[in-house]
Amino acid sequence: MATTNLPKPSSFDRTLASARSTMMFSEVVRLAVDSFRSSKTRFLLTMLGMVIGSASIILVATLGSTGKQYALDQLTSIGPNKVELQYNGGTVSGPDNTSTPDYMTLDDMHAVLDQVPGIVASSPMLEFHDNVSLGGGVSQSTMLLGVSPQYRIVRNLVVVSGRFFDDQDALAHEKVAVMVKPFAVELYGSSDAAVGRTISIKGIPFVIIGVFRESFDTYGQSEISEHTLLIPYPVARYFQGTNDLKEIFFTMRDPSMVLPARDRMLAIVRSRHYASSVYSAATLTELLSSMAKIADMLTIVLTLGAGITLIVSGVGIMNSMLANVQSRIKEIGIRKALGATSREIRLQFLTEAVFLSLSGGLIGTILGLAIPFTLGLLTPFTIPMNPWAPVFALGSSMLVGVLFGTLPANRAARLDPVQTLKYE
């Protein structure tokens, strides 16, 4: 006996068969999918705006996180755990109404080292200026800093040629110097050419044993200028004839120890000097915290700016859904005549709008995550991902679907079934 192959009923036909009972949400979803299949081109073009908007949010948030990480890395390269004690003012009165600055001393540094735990490196600093003789009757105005070998650790300096002077050089009062890279290039053409050259400081020959640079260009805003020479502190003290110090550098073992150590260091130094003397302690902790907050705020503002694209896309979804309602007036009338409630009609069209918006948001989120992830795999750069960006992109996509799908859904729900059945 021959059998007739009947066409498989669509989800809309199945829904009409049970329209007098309350529609299940799964039936509403099936109707939304059928509607999408029947107008693929229109819905895909409408969805494109959501894809671009969601991808933009991910990429902008990623760029913001990358820029923030780069800026913080550059700042921390100066010395994230550094504490710099500074003398800011105050004098000591002597005989004949003379007054002298109440500088810190090497004993202050030793007192801090004895009483503050967690210090891994320290260096005094003596600063003076001199016209250094370069030979052949040529001299150059130079800033000389007398520091300890640990100054390289404290300031996170990078030795590009030769070596930095060590403890043995300092103990033996060796006449050696380390030159900043721009100075070496200016005088000798390259860093390598400067190593081994001899210069004269106050008539005493010094051998340049190394060339260094700062790990982060401070553009002259630190104690190191473009014409700086570093020499062992004991040798600099010989030239100055004093233990007076304007600055002392310390490095703490852990960033969490910086602020407590700073307060303790200031208390120790102040207790050893006159009450009228003024001292300060500079750290990067507050600066890093402020920079992180500024970077986060800029990232949020830029991400919200990218989110405007989603609003424009939402207008496109609303127009598409209004056209969809207009083209399906007859269908809406038949469903209402068979018992579908206004709530079910509203839920159907709202689901279609959310489905359209969320699908575009999901595709855009995947693209937005794939681009930086691929760049991270193919390049040596580390690209940090903002974990909240996908959440914000998908959440915004759903919200846009609800907001801009409400008007078309309400219009469909308010249609009069009698008038819709007469509509041609």
Side-chain angles (χ1 to χ4, degrees):
M1 179 176 174
T3 59
T4 304
N5 292 326
L6 297 176
K8 184 178 180 180
S10 66
S11 59
F12 178 66
D13 296 329
R14 292 194 300 270
T15 302
L16 288 180
S18 58
R20 294 186 181 278
S21 60
T22 302
M23 286 183 67
M24 297 178 61
F25 184 70
S26 60
E27 295 175 320
V28 175
V29 173
R30 283 197 296 269
L31 283 172
V33 173
D34 283 347
S35 177
F36 176 77
R37 289 174 177 173
S38 63
S39 305
K40 293 186 183 69
T41 303
R42 183 180 67 186
F43 281 135
L44 286 175
L45 290 175
T46 305
M47 188 190 299
L48 184 61
M50 295 303 301
V51 173
I52 295 174
S54 300
S56 298
I57 289 177
I58 302 293
L59 293 176
V60 167
T62 301
L63 287 175
S65 299
T66 304
K68 170 187 173 181
Q69 190 62 47
Y70 175 78
L72 294 181
D73 287 344
Q74 292 295 300
L75 284 175
T76 52
S77 66
I78 300 176
N81 303 345
K82 184 187 73 170
V83 180
E84 181 180 349
L85 287 179
Q86 299 173 335
Y87 165 75
N88 299 116
T91 59
V92 179
S93 299
D96 300 326
N97 292 323
T98 60
S99 60
T100 57
D102 193 12
Y103 290 121
M104 295 179 290
T105 67
L106 203 60
D107 291 336
D108 291 327
M109 187 182 81
H110 291 150
V112 170
L113 291 173
D114 291 338
Q115 300 179 47
V116 178
I119 298 176
V120 295
S122 62
S123 174
M125 191 185 82
L126 275 176
E127 175 184 336
F128 64 100
H129 297 259
D130 190 38
N131 287 322
V132 174
S133 176
L134 306 174
V138 179
S139 63
Q140 172 70 51
S141 178
T142 306
M143 181 173 71
L144 295 108
L145 301 180
V147 296
S148 76
Q150 292 185 356
Y151 180 77
R152 178 181 62 84
I153 301 172
V154 172
R155 286 288 279 105
N156 200 21
L157 301 179
V158 178
V159 178
V160 295
S161 293
R163 66 179 181 86
F164 207 84
F165 48 81
D166 55 24
D167 291 331
Q168 184 61 38
D169 294 322
L171 290 174
H173 292 201
E174 295 288 351
K175 308 305 184 289
V176 293
V178 182
M179 180 177 286
V180 70
K181 182 179 179 180
F183 198 14
V185 173
E186 177 184 339
L187 296 178
Y188 305 111
S190 69
S191 300
D192 294 335
V195 178
R197 297 294 186 98
T198 300
I199 58 176
S200 178
I201 302 175
K202 295 185 180 296
I204 299 176
F206 277 71
V207 178
I208 301 174
I209 62 172
V211 177
F212 75 95
R213 65 173 176 83
E214 294 183 275
S215 54
F216 168 63
D217 193 347
T218 57
Y219 302 100
Q221 298 304 307
S222 68
E223 73 278 5
I224 297 174
S225 69
E226 291 189 352
H227 297 91
T228 298
L229 282 175
L230 304 181
I231 62 176
Y233 171 75
V235 180
R237 187 173 59 176
Y238 166 78
F239 286 127
Q240 294 295 93
T242 178
N243 284 328
D244 293 341
L245 300 171
K246 288 184 66 176
E247 293 178 81
I248 306 175
F249 296 88
F250 299 93
T251 292
M252 305 306 300
R253 183 172 58 249
D254 187 81
S256 62
M257 305 174 69
V258 170
L259 293 181
R262 177 199 63 180
D263 298 337
R264 180 60 179 151
M265 290 175 186
L266 279 177
I268 293 171
V269 172
R270 286 168 178 166
S271 68
R272 296 171 56 84
H273 292 266
Y274 289 93
S276 59
S277 300
V278 180
Y279 306 92
S280 64
T283 70
L284 288 178
T285 303
E286 295 91 343
L287 178 60
L288 290 172
S289 178
S290 299
M291 284 292 294
K293 291 178 180 178
I294 293 172
D296 287 340
M297 185 57 64
L298 288 175
T299 301
I300 291 173
V301 171
L302 292 174
T303 304
L304 291 176
I308 294 177
T309 309
L310 295 181
I311 298 177
V312 177
S313 303
V315 175
I317 290 175
M318 182 173 64
N319 289 334
S320 178
M321 291 304 301
L322 286 173
N324 192 26
V325 170
Q326 187 69 23
S327 65
R328 295 165 62 185
I329 287 180
K330 198 82 170 180
E331 173 192 329
I332 296 170
I334 294 174
R335 290 193 57 220
K336 283 198 169 187
L338 293 175
T341 64
S342 297
R343 176 181 176 276
E344 291 168 348
I345 299 294
R346 183 182 297 107
L347 179 62
Q348 175 191 342
F349 283 91
L350 189 59
T351 301
E352 291 181 13
V354 173
F355 176 79
L356 183 62
S357 176
L358 195 56
S359 298
L362 182 60
I363 296 173
T365 299
I366 294 173
L367 289 176
L369 291 173
I371 293 174
F373 181 75
T374 304
L375 289 176
L377 290 177
L378 300 179
T379 64
F381 302 106
T382 301
I383 302 178
M385 303 293 294
N386 191 325
W388 289 106
V391 177
F392 180 72
L394 292 175
S396 300
S397 299
M398 180 175 290
L399 183 62
V400 165
V402 172
L403 292 178
F404 290 92
T406 299
L407 177 62
N410 286 337
R411 177 168 296 185
R414 287 196 299 266
L415 290 175
D416 184 358
V418 176
Q419 296 299 323
T420 55
L421 292 174
K422 294 178 180 180
Y423 180 79
E424 296 294 339

